[in-house]
Amino acid sequence: MKLQIIDKIEQYDTIIIHRHVRPDPDAYGSQIGLKRLLEKNYPSKTIYAIGEHDRSLTFLDTPDSISDDVFENALVIVTDTANTDRIDDARYTKGDFLIKIDHHPNDDAYGDLLWVDTNASSCSEMIYELFIEGQIYKGWEMSDNAARLIFAGIVGDTGRFLYPSASVRTFEIAGQLIKYNFDRNEVFNGMYEKEPNLLHLQGYMYENFVMDENGACFIKLSKDLLHKFHVTASDTSLLVGSLSNIKGVCAWVIFVEEESQIRVRLRSKGPVINELAKRYNGGGHPLASGATVYSWEEADQLIEDLKVLCQNYN
């Protein structure tokens, strides 16, 4: 499969890379990391990474903006995106050929060519595997900037290598990436340093979370609360792991109210939660998923379902 992807890359002069909405470090790491990798090895090609920018990820890079006509006769690659509903920028259909590269369960098998590896810790890890194949097949070289982005993506999706998804292979790849010339401290600081107002919100979460006897835990962050702490809904992504530090927690959910919906961030230390996420307009990994609800009543129903999941697990 990787050889077929490389062959397709070689066939096109224009390549446009998409990723998912509400990007995280692995979205940027796989998408823009692939862009920088291809720019290093195909300087005559025109390569774009597009989508709405998240300012919290500016330390990694910023995406491109392009007009519709650029898609004509272009190769389109979508990274780190399980289903078409979550692809950032609906113009991904306007290219000549579509490739999906992803590590989520393949519930939506879109694209003309698909490479899905649910055993990979991150999509960024898969981009490094593509590089190894390209190195052997076509003499590809890795740039320092591409290595930095791929490393950041792996760090992000493995929770600094703490999650079970970090395999022996993940550590081997990380060991190769840190040989390149980039500042790891700068990457870690960009990913994990928090503004004081965000830390104040984290303190609120620790004071107000609710957990039942089976370790089902939740916190609700309303629009008014976010406004009080001067925090955006996007900023709260940096706090998703906070409740993992609670002794006895089994699985947790953070609700973040936006203008027309309530963002749901689900995490687990054991029970499989992606099927629950699917029932609420979402999906993801067995232990890390996202969803969307449209009322606090629907949020309460999700909490009840999570309680049952944890009770059955225990």
Side-chain angles (χ1 to χ4, degrees), residues 162-163 206 217 239-249 252 267 269:
L162 292 174
Y163 300 158
Y206 284 138
C217 183
L239 302 179
V240 69
S242 299
L243 301 185
S244 67
N245 299 321
I246 303 168
K247 186 174 182 179
V249 71
W252 66 99
R267 296 294 185 269
K269 287 190 174 182

Side-chain angles (χ1 to χ4, degrees), residues 54-200:
D54 187 316
R55 61 184 178 84
S56 71
L57 297 174
T58 302
F59 74 98
L60 288 177
D61 213 320
T62 54
D64 305 303
S65 297
I66 60 175
S67 58
D68 291 355
D69 61 287
V70 179
F71 282 85
E72 187 175 352
N73 298 319
L75 171 64
V76 176
I77 302 174
V78 181
T79 68
D80 196 37
T81 310
N83 51 65
T84 54
D85 289 343
R86 298 201 71 228
I87 299 174
D88 193 328
D89 198 320
R91 295 178 296 173
Y92 72 92
T93 60
K94 294 183 178 295
D96 184 63
F97 194 89
L98 177 61
I99 297 176
K100 174 184 182 180
I101 302 176
D102 189 34
H103 69 126
H104 299 91
N106 193 27
D107 295 324
D108 184 353
Y110 64 86
D112 302 302
L113 183 61
L114 293 75
W115 175 32
V116 176
D117 182 2
T118 56
N119 293 317
S121 71
S122 54
C123 195
S124 295
E125 181 174 313
M126 296 176 68
I127 299 304
Y128 184 84
E129 297 286 15
L130 183 67
F131 158 68
I132 292 297
E133 198 73 35
Q135 187 180 46
I136 297 168
Y137 185 40
K138 294 291 182 178
W140 281 13
E141 297 179 353
M142 175 71 72
S143 69
D144 294 330
N145 196 16
R148 180 181 66 91
L149 286 155
I150 293 168
F151 178 78
I154 293 172
V155 169
D157 253 30
T158 61
R160 287 181 279 191
F161 308 101
L162 292 174
Y163 300 158
S165 59
S167 65
V168 172
R169 180 59 179 158
T170 306
F171 282 96
E172 290 172 348
I173 290 172
Q176 292 301 313
L177 288 169
I178 62 174
K179 294 177 182 179
Y180 290 89
N181 185 27
F182 65 89
D183 189 338
R184 272 181 284 161
N185 285 333
E186 184 179 31
V187 171
F188 286 125
N189 290 342
M191 293 176 72
Y192 297 108
E193 281 187 343
K194 299 179 180 69
E195 296 290 342
N197 58 319
L198 195 60
L199 289 172
H200 292 154

Side-chain angles (χ1 to χ4, degrees), residues 236-278:
T236 63
S237 65
L238 297 172
L239 302 179
V240 69
S242 299
L243 301 185
S244 67
N245 299 321
I246 303 168
K247 186 174 182 179
V249 71
C250 179
W252 66 99
V253 56
I254 299 174
F255 297 98
V256 183
E257 186 179 20
E258 300 180 323
E259 288 303 321
S260 59
Q261 62 188 21
I262 300 170
R263 190 183 301 194
V264 180
R265 294 191 170 100
L266 277 162
R267 296 294 185 269
S268 173
K269 287 190 174 182
V272 173
I273 53 173
N274 54 353
E275 290 300 322
L276 174 60
K278 287 177 189 176

